[in-house]
Amino acid sequence: MNKKKINVLILEHSLLSNVAWWRTYRPLWVVSKLSDEGLFPVEFNFRVKRKDLDYSDMWWAHLIIVSRPFAKPYISDFLVEAKQNGCKVIVDIDDDVFNLPKTHALYSAYKPGSANQKESEKAFKSADLFWFSTPKFLETYTNQGVVIPNAIFPEEIPAQPAPDRGHWAWRGTTIQYHDILAQDARKWYEENRDKAKKWFFLGVLPPMDHAENAELLDYIESPRQYMEAIHRAQFNGFWKPLMDHQFNEHKSNIAWIEATMSGGVCVSNFAGRPGWEFATDKFPTYEKACELWQQSKQHITEHYNLWNTAQIRAQTMHALCSPQTATSPNTEGS
């Protein structure tokens, strides 16, 4: 028997950004693998395009996936027209960019009344379903969504925790300055910077009161190469300071995942909150770090497994494109 075929148009930039790596390219590649290997009874034909959209694109597509529609009128207009042509639409949201604090570098681009907000809201109205990175979106955006967390392959976590070398890291760009330059974060760093033998700042060195143990490492453009680099580096921990506001309440826990992939622990003032249960807000002893790493490894294997999250994507796409489905796919999250 021939498999049912679903044509999926992905409205994404060709640039392999971090967002595209976590939310689009990598997980949908796994969906393709599931289908190719006979582990899912549907054949998904994916096409990636963002510019020069025309009627032939919507005639071909059964389903359109768009991440962060942004202020491009042709995107929202294309989605409205495609809906009239019978296409189903999934909007993937991984950041609550419309509730940025005024101290954030991107606030002016997404503030109330901005072109980004207006065009995105138009695109949101065309959505048949949302994919959300964290459960918080179900409360603040819509319950017509499925929570699909950012995930990795369990084998990407090392067999053992990082050796006790005292190597710690913070990773980010100037986009994260509003978090790391906040008063509480500065105070924590000044009180704990000497507890590490080495502080590595991946991407940019924030203007803080550093000791001689601070070192800047170059930004790695390729997400794949970055993941391989932190795995080899075997950091004892990643520091993830977060200001307490709505944007960060929706934020995914990639820093915790990356810390675990490196063999270390995540230190954050959000420790204990949803998604950050296996982080700590104190600079830990090596023994405590190893204990939290082991717990994190098990939890990621069970709840942030890329094979499992790809199954959720495949199931929701299939359900959305099945005529016999009278209701929307499961919206209880995962």
Side-chain angles (χ1 to χ4, degrees):
M1 179 182 293
N2 293 329
K3 282 186 176 182
K4 177 181 178 179
K5 295 183 179 181
I6 298 178
N7 295 336
V8 183
L9 178 62
I10 305 168
L11 303 186
E12 181 57 84
H13 298 287
S14 58
L15 174 67
L16 187 54
S17 65
N18 288 322
V19 172
W21 168 263
W22 285 97
R23 301 303 300 174
T24 306
Y25 287 118
R26 201 178 193 215
L28 293 180
W29 171 77
V30 180
V31 170
S32 294
K33 294 285 288 184
L34 292 172
S35 179
D36 293 344
E37 296 176 7
L39 300 176
F40 199 80
V42 173
E43 178 182 336
F44 293 101
N45 299 318
F46 293 108
R47 179 186 294 174
V48 181
K49 192 174 182 181
R50 183 83 173 190
K51 296 181 179 179
D52 302 321
L53 299 167
D54 57 35
Y55 284 101
S56 65
D57 295 308
M58 67 179 70
W59 292 338
W60 174 83
H62 302 113
L63 171 66
I64 299 172
I65 299 174
V66 60
S67 174
R68 298 185 177 191
F70 293 155
K72 302 296 183 184
Y74 65 85
I75 294 291
S76 57
D77 291 343
F78 178 81
L79 292 176
V80 171
E81 194 71 20
K83 287 284 291 184
Q84 294 298 315
N85 195 58
C87 290
K88 299 296 184 180
V89 176
I90 293 177
V91 176
D92 186 283
I93 303 293
D94 73 314
D95 272 329
D96 185 18
V97 293
F98 302 115
N99 284 293
L100 288 164
K102 291 183 178 180
T103 54
H104 197 285
L106 297 178
Y107 172 78
S108 60
Y110 295 97
K111 64 184 179 181
S114 66
N116 271 314
Q117 185 186 57
K118 292 177 181 178
E119 291 301 325
S120 292
E121 286 181 348
K122 189 191 302 183
F124 292 169
K125 291 178 181 178
S126 69
D128 294 285
L129 182 69
F130 287 86
W131 285 342
F132 293 134
S133 57
T134 66
K136 188 67 175 178
F137 286 101
L138 293 174
E139 299 177 19
T140 57
Y141 274 52
T142 174
N143 61 5
Q144 296 302 303
V146 176
V147 178
I148 306 180
N150 294 312
I152 61 172
F153 296 118
E155 55 268 29
E156 292 179 299
I157 304 175
Q160 300 295 330
D164 186 14
R165 296 182 300 164
H167 286 188
W168 283 74
W170 174 87
R171 63 104 176 99
T173 66
T174 54
I175 296 298
Q176 284 79 35
Y177 268 12
H178 75 288
D179 284 318
I180 196 169
L181 297 182
Q183 183 177 355
D184 290 345
R186 285 175 174 272
K187 180 181 179 182
W188 186 94
Y189 180 63
E190 291 172 5
E191 291 174 351
N192 292 277
R193 65 186 180 188
D194 295 331
K195 296 177 182 178
K197 291 183 180 178
K198 202 78 173 177
W199 275 100
F200 293 93
F201 289 84
L202 315 182
V204 65
L205 185 64
M208 303 167 69
D209 189 9
H210 298 288
E212 293 184 359
N213 62 352
E215 182 175 332
L216 173 64
L217 296 182
D218 292 339
Y219 178 77
I220 299 177
E221 192 77 34
S222 164
R224 177 188 59 80
Q225 292 177 9
Y226 169 76
M227 296 300 178
E228 292 175 353
I230 64 173
H231 190 276
R232 292 192 304 269
Q234 295 184 302
F235 293 117
N236 293 114
F238 274 69
W239 177 40
K240 185 61 176 178
L242 291 162
M243 291 185 68
D244 196 353
H245 48 60
Q246 185 168 334
F247 173 73
N248 281 342
E249 286 179 356
H250 292 73
K251 199 168 188 64
S252 60
N253 48 15
I254 290 177
W256 164 69
I257 295 175
E258 291 178 353
T260 309
M261 292 175 68
S262 195
V265 64
C266 180
V267 173
S268 175
N269 55 303
F270 268 36
R273 299 193 187 192
W276 304 93
E277 294 90 345
F278 300 100
T280 177
D281 59 355
K282 302 289 193 303
F283 196 99
T285 63
Y286 180 67
E287 291 72 21
K288 181 62 176 178
C290 290
E291 177 188 335
L292 287 170
W293 173 84
Q294 188 63 54
Q295 294 173 346
S296 296
K297 178 178 181 178
Q298 180 177 346
H299 194 71
I300 288 172
T301 300
E302 294 174 357
H303 300 284
Y304 295 83
N305 187 319
L306 188 54
W307 291 111
N308 297 338
T309 58
Q311 282 277 6
I312 298 173
R313 282 185 165 86
Q315 290 164 3
T316 52
M317 288 190 289
H318 184 205
L320 208 56
C321 295
S322 298
Q324 68 272 20
T325 304
T327 58
S328 63
N330 176 23
T331 58
E332 293 180 358
S334 62

